[in-house]
Amino acid sequence: MTQLSLLHSLSPFSSLSRFSITPPPRFSLPSFSIRAMTSHIVGYPRIGPKRELKFALESFWEGKSSAEELKQVAADLRFSIWKQMAEVGIKYIPSNTFSYYDHVLDTTAMLGAVPPRYGWNGGEIGFDVYFSMARGNASVPAMEMTKWFDTNYHYIVPELGPNVKFSYASHKAVEEYKEAKALGLDTVPVLIGPLSYLLLSKPAKGVDKSFSLLSLVEKIVPIYKEVVAELKAAGATWIQFDEPSLVLDLEALQLQTFTNAYSELESSFSGVNILIETYFADVPIQTYKALTSLKNVAGFGFDLVRGTRTLNFLKSGFPSDKYLFAGVVDGRNIWANDLAASLCILQVLEGIVGKDKVVVSTSCSLLHTAVDLVNETKLDKEIKSWLAFAAQKVVEVNALARALVGQKDQAFFASNATSHASRRSSPRVRNENVQRAVVALKDSDHRRATSISARLAAQQKKLNLPILPTTTIGSFPQTIGLRKVRREYKAKKITEYDYVNAMKEEISKVVKLQEELGIDVLVHGEPERNDMVEYFGEQLSGFAFTVNGWVQSYGSRCVKPPIIYGDVSRPRAMTVFWSSTAQSMTRRPMKGMLTGPVTILNWSFVRNDQNRFTPTCATQTSTTSLTRL
């Protein structure tokens, strides 16, 4: 089977049932997967192509299904992911990248770093303690959640201090490796490395803020040794340590802690290949030198998509006996890889590190992209041809690996080149009116014509607000009834007249409530909006939307980012009708509510054919950069 036919036909989740109880068969590797080519995936989405894990989790939390049913859905998802990668031909398939909630929380469980308020008394950590840490319970709040570097994924922040008694309390990494092995698959277990884990943590409540979290490295390294020993005993030949914190500008103490930790782990690495994976940016040169100087480490992974200087570092020197895991396929976006360009980079890398030392990989975990393009049956065909979700990126990685060893799939590469040519020449991407408007922009267009004091005076004269006026952020709760009305209108089960009247009725309730509460500046509650980004994107040119392009934000929470594929313009007014309708219901000032351009950019899959800061947007009445949309 060619890579092109794999790309269009392979959908490993087609038979995945919601609560399957049939154990998957032992898997036999296809013949082409054992050829002399090396390909690797850093990580993969765990939520499922149609949010199977989300629904299973929420059913379990609501008491509608059992723990065993949840575990079976999880096992089905893991098997499907591993099976897909093996069928495509990936050599280094990751395990332990699945999580019921969050991979950092999984590491906290592995290290037994459970805050005392959850009442854990030792032993293997189960669902009750695990989900209490993630979500809280009737008695205690959840642990803090924050963004995973500069992505839209959120992780559970470890709470650490000098009195934490670490212990090996979750054997998940070993169990999942054994699970895959029993299915006939040899995987690469993935662990968050000790430096990144500590740098992603915070002092627990009551611990002095000046406490050095890095001082705990001596307490957690022994547990990592236990995990490595168990994985080796189970038959693991490779273990991946994720150290994304290495891309940060580390202080001398932080870098020394990293070096010391892996020096201490060095003896346990005997008999197994260790990969240290970095991603999201370049590794600074001093860190690069420290990293590549480590002993008993077999390979290093670098993000060559966002890491724009890494190639120069590699040219300056790379250990001759190490493997380079080259992250040339973007794990942060949904655009098809430029295979010809990536192959050129890989061939340059071969000349630097040696023909047998380059492993083709993703730039980071595919957790941050949608799962499978096969499920997008309603997406415009031309735009769809420009895209690659996680399942398709796996195919791209292997196609590049095959090409690198002389097994280039000419049809697949030709199809890829045609798609890129189509995108470059499409009038849907480049809007001449927008381009002319952007060229006409002046520096003065980015500044207000009047001073803030003049605007404040005019505002007060117009609105006559008290010294400390009250207002709310904007949106009111989206009730089940509101969502039902919106679904029925979208499905054309009710008329536009009925829909508008339903929204007006809700706005009227919101306005009256705020007046009764004495709010000075009102909002209309935004009952007509499905999502704060999607609502505006649907009314702008240059945006596309998926049906199943879900990406995990945290736990069971998923988002469906819009795709910005071309120059953006506003064909018509977007909020005037609803704002003016709301204003007609009260004498008090009514705010107009807009999602800002930075949020729209950061919550969307953006174009990769231009600089992120290039203005490519125009409104109906004036030209503007994205910072003034």
Side-chain angles (χ1 to χ4, degrees):
M1 182 178 287
T2 66
Q3 300 294 320
L4 185 59
S5 59
L6 271 172
L7 186 67
H8 292 300
S9 67
L10 182 63
S11 184
F13 304 98
S14 57
S15 62
L16 183 64
S17 63
R18 184 176 177 186
F19 294 120
S20 169
I21 57 174
T22 304
R26 183 177 173 83
F27 186 68
S28 299
L29 292 174
S31 59
F32 64 77
S33 69
I34 56 176
R35 293 176 183 174
M37 53 191 172
T38 49
S39 51
H40 167 253
I41 304 298
V42 176
Y44 201 85
R46 77 265 303 215
I47 205 70
K50 294 185 178 179
R51 298 180 292 167
E52 289 85 351
L53 182 60
K54 168 191 172 65
F55 298 123
L57 282 169
E58 292 174 355
S59 176
F60 171 69
W61 292 336
E62 293 168 8
K64 296 178 180 178
S65 59
S66 68
E68 290 307 310
E69 287 175 308
L70 172 58
K71 290 177 181 178
Q72 187 60 57
V73 171
D76 287 347
L77 283 168
R78 288 192 295 269
F79 171 69
S80 297
I81 293 166
W82 295 331
K83 176 175 180 286
Q84 175 209 6
M85 293 189 199
E87 286 183 337
V88 169
I90 299 299
K91 180 175 181 179
Y92 300 115
I93 298 172
S95 60
N96 199 41
T97 59
F98 174 85
S99 177
Y100 286 102
Y101 204 94
D102 167 52
H103 53 286
V104 179
L105 181 62
D106 292 348
T107 308
T108 294
M110 182 186 82
L111 297 172
V114 180
R117 65 180 178 273
Y118 298 108
W120 176 64
N121 295 315
E124 189 79 4
I125 291 175
F127 279 163
D128 52 348
V129 173
Y130 181 85
F131 286 130
S132 290
M133 290 192 288
R135 307 176 67 237
N137 56 42
S139 305
V140 293
M143 296 169 70
E144 180 188 340
M145 182 169 61
T146 194
K147 279 199 171 189
W148 174 248
F149 294 84
D150 63 344
T151 73
N152 286 326
Y153 177 79
H154 299 73
Y155 74 94
I156 303 296
V157 182
E159 301 173 11
L160 306 179
N163 298 321
V164 175
K165 298 187 183 303
F166 296 98
S167 63
Y168 187 12
S170 171
H171 294 67
K172 175 178 174 294
V174 178
E175 290 167 356
E176 288 189 14
Y177 173 79
K178 290 180 177 179
E179 178 184 331
K181 191 174 182 181
L183 296 169
L185 296 166
D186 186 27
T187 59
V188 180
V190 179
L191 306 172
I192 293 179
L195 177 73
S196 292
Y197 179 76
L198 292 176
L199 291 181
L200 291 167
S201 303
K202 70 172 187 177
K205 186 177 181 180
V207 175
D208 194 287
K209 299 299 181 185
S210 64
F211 173 71
S212 174
L213 295 169
L214 295 180
S215 67
L216 298 173
V217 70
E218 295 179 354
K219 295 184 178 181
I220 66 173
V221 162
I223 298 171
Y224 277 95
K225 286 183 176 181
E226 288 187 69
V227 179
V228 170
E230 279 199 8
L231 287 169
K232 287 196 298 183
T237 56
W238 280 85
I239 300 174
Q240 175 178 320
F241 283 77
D242 279 6
E243 289 283 10
S245 292
L246 291 179
V247 304
L248 305 175
D249 291 323
L250 299 178
E251 299 171 359
L253 175 62
Q254 295 170 330
L255 189 55
Q256 188 60 52
T257 300
F258 166 75
T259 302
N260 292 345
Y262 283 87
S263 295
E264 181 63 27
L265 285 166
E266 183 182 321
S267 61
S268 66
F269 291 164
S270 178
V272 65
N273 295 296
I274 298 298
L275 163 63
I276 299 182
E277 184 68 50
T278 70
Y279 39 81
F280 297 151
D282 285 300
V283 173
I285 185 61
Q286 292 304 318
T287 303
Y288 174 83
K289 291 177 180 178
L291 173 62
T292 54
S293 297
L294 292 177
K295 297 178 181 179
N296 251 3
V297 173
F300 307 102
F302 298 104
D303 183 339
L304 297 178
V305 176
R306 293 197 166 209
T308 56
R309 301 189 305 274
T310 300
L311 186 58
N312 290 331
F313 296 165
L314 293 166
K315 290 178 179 178
S316 69
F318 187 82
S320 59
D321 59 338
K322 308 296 184 185
Y323 288 91
L324 170 63
F325 286 69
V328 294
V329 173
D330 193 354
R332 293 280 298 269
N333 218 324
I334 41 68
W335 302 107
N337 184 268
D338 186 337
L339 296 178
S342 292
L343 184 58
C344 286
I345 293 172
L346 291 166
Q347 289 168 338
V348 169
L349 293 172
E350 273 192 331
I352 297 171
V353 305
K355 278 189 172 294
D356 298 326
K357 296 298 183 181
V358 176
V359 180
V360 183
S361 185
T362 52
S363 66
C364 63
S365 172
L366 298 175
L367 172 70
H368 310 290
T369 189
V371 180
D372 196 344
L373 194 58
V374 168
N375 296 311
E376 297 306 322
T377 56
K378 297 182 180 180
L379 194 60
D380 178 272
K381 289 185 178 180
E382 182 183 32
I383 295 175
K384 187 175 180 178
S385 73
W386 303 339
L387 307 179
F389 290 1
Q392 289 69 45
K393 289 177 185 291
V394 170
V395 176
E396 291 178 337
V397 166
N398 204 63
L400 287 166
R402 296 182 68 188
L404 199 59
V405 295
Q407 300 174 22
K408 184 176 181 180
D409 187 328
Q410 298 291 349
F412 187 64
F413 270 70
S415 175
N416 177 265
T418 299
S419 296
H420 280 274
S422 164
R423 185 180 171 203
R424 284 192 298 269
S425 62
S426 175
R428 305 168 76 173
V429 173
R430 183 179 175 88
N431 184 317
E432 293 301 327
N433 291 332
V434 173
Q435 293 293 325
R436 284 193 293 270
V438 168
V439 170
L441 281 171
K442 304 182 295 293
D443 287 343
S444 59
D445 291 325
H446 301 279
R447 297 187 297 271
R448 297 285 190 93
T450 56
S451 66
I452 187 170
S453 58
R455 297 197 303 273
L456 285 172
Q459 181 188 71
Q460 185 59 19
K461 182 177 180 181
K462 173 75 174 178
L463 304 179
N464 192 31
L465 296 172
I467 295 175
L468 292 174
T470 56
T471 188
T472 68
I473 295 297
S475 59
F476 273 55
Q478 294 268 332
T479 64
I480 294 174
L482 276 177
R483 290 174 179 169
K484 180 174 182 289
V485 169
R486 204 162 49 235
R487 280 198 308 271
E488 290 178 343
Y489 177 58
K490 190 173 183 178
K492 298 181 179 180
K493 293 181 178 179
I494 62 173
T495 65
E496 182 177 4
Y497 177 83
D498 291 333
Y499 170 75
V500 170
N501 280 343
M503 295 301 107
K504 284 183 176 179
E505 183 179 341
E506 179 65 21
I507 292 171
S508 177
K509 292 178 183 176
V510 167
V511 169
K512 289 178 180 177
L513 174 62
Q514 292 172 91
E515 287 181 333
E516 290 172 1
L517 294 172
I519 302 296
D520 298 304
V521 180
L522 309 188
V523 297
H524 77 287
E526 305 176 21
E528 78 286 1
R529 302 186 187 184
N530 48 4
D531 174 87
M532 65 185 296
V533 172
E534 188 172 6
Y535 175 78
F536 288 96
E538 287 175 338
Q539 301 182 76
L540 295 166
S541 65
F543 279 78
F545 297 88
T546 63
V547 175
N548 289 297
W550 297 101
V551 179
Q552 186 181 22
S553 178
Y554 61 88
S556 67
R557 167 68 173 166
C558 302
V559 294
K560 195 152 53 71
I563 299 168
I564 304 178
Y565 66 83
D567 293 343
V568 178
S569 63
R570 177 172 63 91
R572 63 190 67 85
M574 298 186 290
T575 62
V576 172
F577 173 77
W578 296 112
S579 294
S580 58
T581 296
Q583 185 64 78
S584 70
M585 298 177 180
T586 182
R587 293 184 178 181
R588 300 184 188 187
M590 177 69 62
K591 286 194 294 188
M593 307 301 299
L594 299 173
T595 300
V598 174
T599 297
I600 291 177
L601 274 176
N602 288 336
W603 288 16
S604 300
F605 288 124
V606 299
R607 294 171 61 174
N608 65 349
D609 59 344
Q610 63 180 20
N611 187 290
R612 189 179 181 89
F613 301 98
T614 301
T616 58
C617 176
T619 65
Q620 183 181 28
T621 56
S622 64
T623 60
T624 180
S625 72
L626 275 173
T627 58
R628 296 185 63 215
L629 177 59

